[in-house]
Amino acid sequence: MSNHKAAYAVLADELSAKGIDVEQVKTALKHQHIETPSWGYANSGTRFRVYPWAGAATTTRQKLDDAAMVNQLTGVAPSVAVHIPWDIPEDNDFVAMKQYAEAKGISIGAVNPNYFQDDEYRLGSFGNPDPAIQERALDHTIECCEIMRKTGSTLLSLWYADGTNFAGQDNIVGRMRRFERNFAEVYKHLPAGSRMAIEYKFFEPSFYNTDIPDWGTAYMMSLRLGDQAQVLVDLGHHAHGVNIEQIVAVLLAEGKLGGFHFNNRKYADDDLIVGSVNPYELFLIYHELVSAELGDDPVASKASKNVAYMLDQCHNIEGKLAATLQSVINCQESYAKALLVQRKQLAELQATGAVLEAHNLLNDAFRTDVRPLLAQVREEMGVPIDPIAAYKKSGYEEKIRKERGRASASGGFQ
Ligand code: PSV
Ligand code: MN
């Protein structure tokens, strides 16, 4: 027996003794789905500097190749989010792009329109005081709905850099109304069966007011639109100390949680690797999701089954693919720990007001070393037990370094 086998056997016995159905846990882990972002494979940087990374993807096909490699090594990253216009294929053929992805075993996930890179968007996009600029942004969004149809994407992921930098610059209520009108138009163009997820961010790049600063605003807007509109929670887009897991629970309870942009933040929206700064927070978020799924609240349970789990990270100094693999692994570990919470016992402790016992029972799951369990799951899935080690051995990094070189083009963030 290899090392993980012995450790797994001990852990499986311990878990079974606690009444946990290990086979059920493994099945859930095999069905986990983490979508990777095309821009995570490209060069990126801060507003101070982009450090070109040898082997970073510059074309859409290269990004798809990299996403396919991550999926091959983990088995749980079968889709890739695209950003338009960064990912408009060289030949403009989105159907061919979809087929290329499928041939590599992945699919096109969320389509992200871009409302922040054109000169025209200096004063915003949907919130812009100029109706002609709003229309330009709307046309771009409708074009993205068309791209969804061509690529088979079922999620339109919407984030706006809109807001103002100075008090008095614009009318805040007026800007909200412009957003409402434009969202109503977007809603009409959504492909059947698809969803739009509205992302909020509490500051940056607008420094006085941000038009969609918090989950409440995104929720309110999505509520007015209908069932196909939901809220997107980007972990990096909150102030210090915000209880993100509570926001997740509230949105689940209301059937309005559309998905996540996973990353981590120490100070600002740094797009650090998810789980690298605060793995406990990530565990607690997964705990809310698993609790909703297995719980008896019908709205929350249904909502938990249609959540888009996406990474939204830019790897500026740490390389691209290994960092993406690390992010996927961190999500696997947090989900695995959340699956190990003894929910029946927890409910009993909660009902009797056993505060510390309940808290400690939850933390027992967090403190469990789930690495042998995940190694076993990977072995059963037929993927490498250690995806990062397998990546390093594969020769892929050397190959893309040689073939692609060190391009100065960003292929993503400038
Ligand atoms: C903005 O900070 C953001 O989180 C939005 O999700 C964008 O779509 C993404 O980064 C990449 O531009
Ligand atoms: Mn985001």
Side-chain angles (χ1 to χ4, degrees):
M1 273 205 290
S2 70
N3 277 346
H4 99 262
K5 282 281 183 200
Y8 170 69
V10 173
L11 179 62
D13 279 351
E14 272 172 25
L15 295 175
S16 303
K18 286 182 180 173
I20 291 167
D21 184 335
V22 181
E23 287 308 311
Q24 213 171 305
V25 167
K26 286 195 294 181
T27 304
L29 288 167
K30 288 173 194 172
H31 288 97
Q32 195 176 4
H33 179 157
I34 308 290
E35 181 164 308
T36 69
S38 69
W39 53 97
Y41 301 111
N43 274 330
S44 58
T46 65
R47 61 204 162 88
F48 301 106
R49 171 85 185 141
V50 172
Y51 296 104
W53 184 263
T58 52
T59 68
T60 302
R61 290 207 167 182
Q62 289 172 352
K63 294 176 201 167
L64 295 177
D65 292 344
D66 292 353
M69 183 66 181
V70 170
N71 185 45
Q72 206 178 303
L73 291 164
T74 61
V76 295
S79 63
V80 59
V82 294
H83 218 291
I84 306 298
W86 301 337
D87 292 317
I88 294 178
E90 295 68 38
D91 54 4
N92 208 22
D93 187 342
F94 284 96
V95 176
M97 173 178 168
K98 173 188 193 242
Q99 288 163 350
Y100 185 82
E102 280 171 358
K104 300 222 144 216
I106 53 172
S107 62
I108 304 300
V111 172
N112 292 246
N114 183 307
Y115 302 104
F116 50 87
Q117 267 193 331
D118 294 352
D119 291 346
E120 286 81 354
Y121 294 144
R122 186 173 64 91
L123 300 179
S125 59
F126 278 7
N128 197 299
D130 182 344
I133 310 287
Q134 288 176 49
E135 199 166 319
R136 178 197 171 97
L138 186 58
D139 286 348
H140 172 55
T141 319
I142 293 168
E143 181 199 341
C144 286
C145 291
E146 208 33 58
I147 292 171
M148 289 171 75
R149 281 187 191 89
K150 290 181 186 157
T151 57
S153 162
T154 56
L155 187 69
L156 184 67
S157 180
L158 300 166
W159 175 71
Y160 299 86
D162 285 49
T164 62
N165 273 14
F166 295 95
Q169 180 191 319
D170 200 356
N171 180 304
I172 295 176
V173 171
R175 293 185 73 92
M176 276 183 64
R177 297 289 178 241
R178 293 170 212 153
F179 263 92
E180 280 164 28
R181 279 197 299 273
N182 287 304
F183 275 152
E185 284 306 310
V186 173
Y187 197 80
K188 290 184 202 155
H189 289 85
L190 286 176
S194 73
R195 295 179 292 157
M196 58 188 266
I198 303 173
E199 183 173 353
Y200 57 93
K201 183 174 188 181
F202 82 117
F203 85 112
E204 197 205 39
S206 302
F207 294 121
Y208 175 65
N209 97 289
T210 299
D211 288 333
I212 307 181
D214 51 29
W215 73 269
T217 309
Y219 171 76
M220 179 182 68
M221 293 197 171
S222 69
L223 196 62
R224 287 191 184 147
L225 292 168
D227 289 345
Q228 279 176 273
Q230 292 176 312
V231 178
L232 193 149
V233 179
D234 182 312
L235 305 195
H237 292 188
H238 301 86
H240 283 296
V242 168
N243 186 335
I244 302 178
E245 55 272 23
Q246 183 178 1
I247 295 172
V248 171
V250 169
L251 292 174
L252 282 167
E254 296 302 310
K256 280 291 186 187
L257 180 66
F260 289 97
H261 271 177
F262 279 146
N263 52 51
N264 231 168
R265 176 186 65 83
K266 186 67 179 165
Y267 293 107
D269 180 25
D270 292 321
D271 296 340
L272 301 178
I273 288 175
V274 61
S276 63
V277 176
N278 195 346
Y280 189 52
E281 177 184 72
L282 187 60
F283 160 74
L284 293 175
I285 288 169
Y286 269 111
H287 167 59
E288 290 305 327
L289 288 152
V290 176
S291 297
E293 189 181 346
L294 304 178
D296 54 13
D297 186 291
V299 179
S301 179
K302 186 169 173 232
S304 71
K305 292 180 180 114
N306 198 15
V307 174
Y309 295 91
M310 302 171 280
L311 300 177
D312 176 13
Q313 300 175 172
C314 289
H315 304 292
N316 299 342
I317 58 166
E318 67 274 35
K320 313 291 173 188
L321 273 90
T324 308
L325 290 166
Q326 182 67 64
S327 313
V328 172
I329 291 167
N330 289 355
C331 291
Q332 289 182 298
E333 290 188 3
S334 295
Y335 182 41
K337 290 176 183 207
L339 288 166
L340 300 188
V341 173
Q342 294 169 269
R343 289 197 161 66
K344 196 167 151 281
Q345 290 87 330
L346 184 63
E348 284 163 12
L349 293 170
Q350 289 171 342
T352 55
V355 177
L356 278 186
E357 289 80 355
H359 178 62
N360 286 331
L361 189 74
L362 182 67
N363 286 343
D364 264 354
F366 177 65
R367 293 192 185 108
T368 310
D369 182 358
V370 293
R371 288 173 297 180
L373 171 65
L374 284 166
Q376 178 65 25
V377 166
R378 292 188 187 114
E379 187 179 271
E380 291 178 21
M381 289 174 79
V383 298
I385 285 170
D386 181 342
I388 295 179
Y391 176 64
K392 289 194 172 145
K393 260 210 218 140
S394 70
Y396 189 86
E397 182 93 19
E398 292 71 32
K399 180 174 162 283
I400 57 175
R401 237 183 246 168
K402 217 161 114 202
E403 282 173 10
R404 300 175 188 172
R406 192 185 298 269
S408 55
S410 76
F413 280 104
Q414 303 296 323

